[in-house]
Amino acid sequence: MTSEASGGPIIGITHFTIDPADSAEVKARHAAMVSALRATSPGPREACLGRIDEKTWAVIWRWDSIDHMRMTQETARNNPHVEAAFALTSGITGEALNVMDELPRVSEHE
């Protein structure tokens, strides 16, 4: 349905490790970072912070296009909120996926 060539949505996944004692601060800094990125760039449209286990966490990002993702990444380079959010992390890895097919959401009543 969509691809990078057609300018379709991009999903980014960032994995990282934290000290479990920093969990509350990681959540607070993540929220501040996303707000700051949205104020200075065209995205991300969605950002979901999740915990895989006590130490391993991930963020799933969604942008409307590869261009929006790249613009956001460019503005993130010197953003103090981004630096603060990732200061509590280690072992950061990431990948981006071009959304190739997207099914509609199922309502909770179906």
Side-chain angles (χ1 to χ4, degrees):
M1 190 159 132
T2 59
S3 69
E4 180 179 340
S6 67
I10 301 293
I11 303 293
I13 304 171
T14 305
H15 288 92
F16 53 89
T17 303
I18 68 161
D19 179 334
D22 292 332
S23 294
E25 187 64 21
V26 167
K27 291 185 335 185
R29 291 184 188 191
H30 173 261
M33 174 185 67
V34 172
S35 293
L37 290 173
R38 287 178 172 159
T40 59
S41 67
R45 177 176 289 278
E46 297 176 34
C48 301
L49 176 66
R51 189 176 76 186
I52 298 166
D53 58 44
E54 283 190 4
K55 293 182 179 182
T56 309
W57 290 48
V59 179
I60 299 174
W61 314 86
R62 182 184 180 97
W63 289 272
D64 290 333
S65 69
I66 190 82
D67 290 336
H68 286 182
M69 183 187 77
R70 288 179 179 151
M71 285 187 263
T72 302
Q73 289 173 330
E74 187 61 35
T75 63
R77 292 185 199 281
N78 296 310
N79 187 307
H81 293 286
V82 174
E83 292 174 17
F86 284 101
L88 297 174
T89 70
S90 62
I92 302 166
T93 62
E95 57 192 346
L97 308 128
N98 296 307
V99 176
M100 303 305 292
D101 189 19
E102 190 166 22
L103 303 174
R105 290 184 179 185
V106 176
S107 78
E108 61 185 85
H109 301 291
E110 289 184 20

